[in-house]
Amino acid sequence: MANPSPPGIAILGAGIFVKTQYIPRLAEISDLVNLKAIWSRSEESAKGAVEVARKHFPGVECKWGDEGLNEIIQDTSILGVAVVIAGQTQVEMSLKMLKAGKHVLQEKPAAASIGEIETAMTSYKNISTDSPCRPIWAVAENYRFEPAFVELKKLVEEIGDMMNVQLIIEGSMNSSNPYFSSSWRRNLDGGFILDMGVHYIAGLRMLVGCEVTSVSATTSHVDKTLPAPDNITSNFQLENGCSGVFVMVVSSRSPKACRLKGTVQLERGVQDGRHGYMATVYGEGGTSRTIFYPFSGVTEELKAFFRDISGTSKEQEPRLSYVEGARDVVVLEAMLESGARNGAVIPVKKF
Ligand SMILES: *[C@@H]1O[C@H](CO)[C@@H](O)[C@H](O)[C@H]1NC(C)=O
Ligand SMILES: *[C@@H]1O[C@H](CO)[C@@H](O)[C@H](O)[C@H]1NC(C)=O
Ligand SMILES: *[C@@H]1O[C@H](CO)[C@@H](O)[C@H](O)[C@H]1NC(C)=O
């Protein structure tokens, strides 16, 4: 059977994440996709990203401003777009593209607030009822595709009754980090806690296999070079009756990135120069075994999106659905609200 030609896509956005993640990861799977254009509001930044991409995709075009965006919309060879812009404007851009009939892979967070999620979901429903072929709205949350989480999820199911979960994140968001001065992240309500935190909530929800029902949190602002809050400690209640604690420090002097504790433990690590997760499973009588899983979540999520838009998969990948991304945001929003209200117990909105 002849190989169908790979789907044409465009990247909207030309920031750090596009240059350091999207382009290199797309280059690894260049047989699955045809990167046709990179767009940014300004010509200068679009050109910067196109320069990086040209080595791998010689035909990539540089587009900018309203005119460039319209050209992408008009180009019927572009089936889908990756929306990788400021968190505050992503939903608006995604909806504009969906209305134009393009499939969308939007970067997380799914939205900047619960209010935005609600309008977004109604608007999306409206679009799909109007058009004959429903464009896909996917949220790129690479944690749902990380092999460590996929494998550990199976182990957690085998172990039996869950008693308690602890998720501790000690980040390293100081001035050496390339995202430290990102203005949109600083201006987002919830700051880095929301922007970084959605990954960890995604990982948590995936591993426990159920939803968070309510939270009670304390937040504080310790490092004044960071937007508030930068420390959060939250209790959470899970649908399965189990409870747990979520601790996140945006900038720690001894960063550990992510630790999930219990009978199974997941920790960031490096092996043979590759970054990934160390998963340790504790058995009876003090035995334990550790397995290393290098990162590949971004590549896997991109592959899944391309399968979905080229119509080669039977059903749409559920881990990419917009509602999954929205569920991560509402858990963090509830934690931030609880923190602002002295630890009041806040139910998590259901979608
Ligand atoms: C969805 O469609 C209904 C009926 O056409 C309309 O009243 C509503 O304003 C639309 N909502 C959004 C968010 O577009
Ligand atoms: C930021 O954190 C990293 C990781 O802990 C550390 O190596 C680096 O020195 C820190 N930079 C500053 C400016 O504190
Ligand atoms: C915030 O986190 C830092 C790093 O773990 C810790 O030193 C500090 O005590 C925390 N502050 C509050 C108020 O919890």
Side-chain angles (χ1 to χ4, degrees):
M1 205 166 69
N3 232 4
S5 61
I9 66 145
I11 300 177
L12 311 185
I16 312 167
F17 198 66
V18 167
K19 288 194 268 195
T20 62
Q21 283 292 325
Y22 267 80
I23 296 171
R25 299 292 83 80
L26 287 174
E28 289 166 9
I29 49 170
S30 58
D31 53 325
L32 300 179
V33 64
N34 181 4
L35 178 60
K36 304 208 65 161
I38 298 179
W39 174 91
S40 179
R41 238 166 252 299
S42 81
E43 178 181 0
E44 194 193 350
S45 87
K47 278 192 168 150
V50 164
E51 221 168 89
V52 181
R54 242 192 206 127
K55 282 181 241 97
H56 312 285
F57 299 94
V60 64
E61 285 186 67
C62 185
K63 305 276 183 191
W64 63 91
D66 290 341
E67 205 186 312
L69 197 58
N70 275 329
E71 286 164 11
I72 288 176
I73 289 176
Q74 301 302 326
D75 187 340
T76 52
S77 74
I78 296 178
L79 290 186
V81 295
V83 175
V84 197
I85 58 177
Q88 294 87 342
T89 52
Q90 291 203 123
V91 167
E92 195 190 336
M93 177 64 88
S94 295
L95 286 170
K96 186 181 172 124
M97 291 294 131
L98 290 162
K99 278 181 194 144
K102 306 287 185 201
H103 297 297
V104 169
L105 177 68
Q106 182 198 303
E107 255 316 306
K108 53 95 230 167
S113 67
I114 294 183
E116 194 180 41
I117 289 173
E118 284 168 345
T119 19
M121 303 228 294
T122 329
S123 307
Y124 181 46
K125 266 192 207 121
N126 276 8
I127 296 167
S128 1
T129 46
D130 286 353
S131 71
C133 54
R134 181 189 161 97
I136 296 168
W137 191 0
V139 168
E141 174 47 76
N142 53 302
Y143 275 47
R144 282 190 259 283
F145 291 85
E146 284 303 342
F149 286 88
V150 174
E151 293 305 316
L152 212 55
K153 183 179 170 55
K154 294 179 198 155
L155 286 175
V156 169
E157 282 161 5
E158 282 166 21
I159 282 166
D161 285 348
M162 190 176 295
M163 293 174 77
N164 181 269
V165 188
Q166 298 167 47
L167 182 55
I168 303 154
I169 299 108
E170 293 180 62
S172 56
M173 190 50 72
N174 60 27
S175 56
S176 312
N177 191 300
Y179 297 100
F180 180 78
S181 37
S182 158
S183 60
W184 74 259
R185 289 180 177 84
R186 291 182 160 263
N187 293 332
L188 199 65
D189 271 338
F192 287 106
I193 298 265
L194 180 63
D195 178 54
M196 295 156 64
V198 285
H199 284 307
Y200 308 120
I201 298 298
L204 171 71
R205 290 181 46 245
M206 183 172 171
L207 289 182
V208 297
C210 67
E211 299 300 329
V212 177
T213 54
S214 68
V215 301
S216 164
T218 306
T219 50
S220 60
H221 193 195
V222 179
D223 183 343
K224 296 297 192 286
T225 68
L226 291 165
D230 66 335
N231 275 30
I232 187 163
T233 303
S234 182
N235 288 315
F236 58 80
Q237 193 63 47
L238 296 173
E239 236 167 15
N240 66 4
C242 170
S243 65
V245 47
F246 172 82
V247 177
M248 182 171 169
V249 178
V250 174
S251 178
S252 162
R253 253 174 293 216
S254 55
K256 315 251 172 13
C258 175
R259 270 189 297 159
L260 184 89
K261 290 177 71 171
T263 315
V264 294
Q265 179 158 334
L266 201 57
E267 206 162 345
R268 275 281 286 266
V270 184
Q271 199 172 77
D272 304 327
R274 300 174 80 189
H275 289 262
Y277 278 107
M278 293 283 183
T280 307
V281 184
Y282 295 92
E284 275 166 39
T287 59
S288 73
R289 65 191 165 107
T290 298
I291 316 161
F292 179 75
Y293 299 99
F295 291 140
S296 69
V298 174
T299 312
E300 294 306 321
E301 91 195 343
L302 289 169
K303 282 192 201 160
F305 181 67
F306 302 144
R307 270 196 304 273
D308 279 355
I309 70 171
S310 56
T312 50
S313 52
K314 275 199 216 78
E315 63 179 311
Q316 210 179 309
E317 170 59 59
R319 286 175 291 173
L320 284 176
S321 75
Y322 184 81
V323 72
E324 285 295 324
R327 286 176 182 145
D328 299 331
V329 172
V330 294
V331 172
L332 275 159
E333 283 253 327
M335 286 178 179
L336 290 162
E337 185 187 340
S338 173
R341 292 172 49 191
N342 295 316
V345 176
I346 306 290
V348 176
K349 200 171 165 56
K350 275 195 175 171
F351 284 105

